[in-house]
Amino acid sequence: MEKLIIGRVDKIDFPKLNLYNIDAKIDTGAYTSAIHCSEIIVEGKKLKCTFYSKGHPNFSGKQVVFDCFSKTDVKSSNGYKENRFKIKSEVVFFNKTYKINLTLSTRDDMKFPVLIGRQFLSKKFLVDVNLHHVSFNKKQAI
């Protein structure tokens, strides 16, 4: 499979999460991908997540319920280890839907509510740090 060239930032869609045109940082320094989640509640065997952020208007505040989830340790760039919930979802790049694992994190104070890490990028994309919104611009052209 030929790898697509992607820029350092883009706007992407998460149709199963009802999130569209979400700002994402393509982060080759991160192994896992992460998404901002403002509220996480575990009820029985269900994980209830609210995707809301006043700084990111496309995060609508709708709650999404997951039957399948896990926990994983994530080490941040400053060396701090955090145990986070991990979900499986779908993401759209270049009008194509891909499966993605996302850890849930509070990213309200961050510029980008989503980080796309190496685990997802591997074997699919090459990153050109001089480019931005490559996938989004292709979507707009259609």
Side-chain angles (χ1 to χ4, degrees):
M1 182 169 90
E2 187 175 326
K3 294 179 186 176
L4 295 168
I5 296 174
I6 193 163
R8 62 185 171 87
V9 296
D10 218 319
K11 288 184 182 283
I12 55 178
D13 299 333
F14 295 94
K16 285 189 168 186
L17 305 179
N18 201 26
L19 295 170
Y20 299 91
N21 295 332
I22 302 300
D23 292 321
K25 178 179 178 183
I26 311 305
D27 189 351
T28 59
Y31 178 69
T32 57
S33 298
I35 189 167
H36 170 70
C37 187
S38 55
E39 185 176 70
I40 301 169
I41 300 169
V42 178
E43 284 185 2
K45 294 185 178 188
K46 298 197 182 290
L47 183 72
K48 296 182 177 184
C49 302
T50 303
F51 296 98
Y52 170 76
S53 175
K54 65 180 179 182
H56 304 287
N58 292 344
F59 271 66
S60 60
K62 292 185 180 172
Q63 188 179 74
V64 180
V65 178
F66 298 93
D67 295 321
C68 184
F69 62 93
S70 61
K71 290 194 96 175
T72 188
D73 287 331
V74 177
K75 195 170 173 183
S76 67
S77 59
N78 62 9
Y80 178 73
K81 190 189 263 186
E82 181 181 15
N83 192 255
R84 294 184 189 166
F85 286 101
K86 181 170 75 172
I87 59 166
K88 294 177 186 284
S89 193
E90 293 179 349
V91 63
V92 179
F93 278 94
F94 296 100
N95 300 310
K96 183 177 176 185
T97 303
Y98 298 90
K99 294 181 187 303
I100 189 169
N101 292 317
L102 296 164
T103 62
L104 305 177
S105 178
T106 302
R107 298 186 53 79
D108 247 346
D109 55 343
M110 304 295 201
K111 182 175 181 182
F112 296 95
V114 172
L115 288 182
I116 302 296
R118 294 188 315 271
Q119 183 182 42
F120 173 77
L121 297 168
S122 178
K123 299 183 178 135
K124 293 186 263 321
F125 300 99
L126 291 176
V127 181
D128 183 337
V129 296
N130 295 307
L131 301 176
H132 62 280
H133 299 121
V134 180
S135 174
F136 180 73
N137 289 337
K138 186 166 185 165
K139 176 177 139 180
Q140 297 300 96
I142 293 178

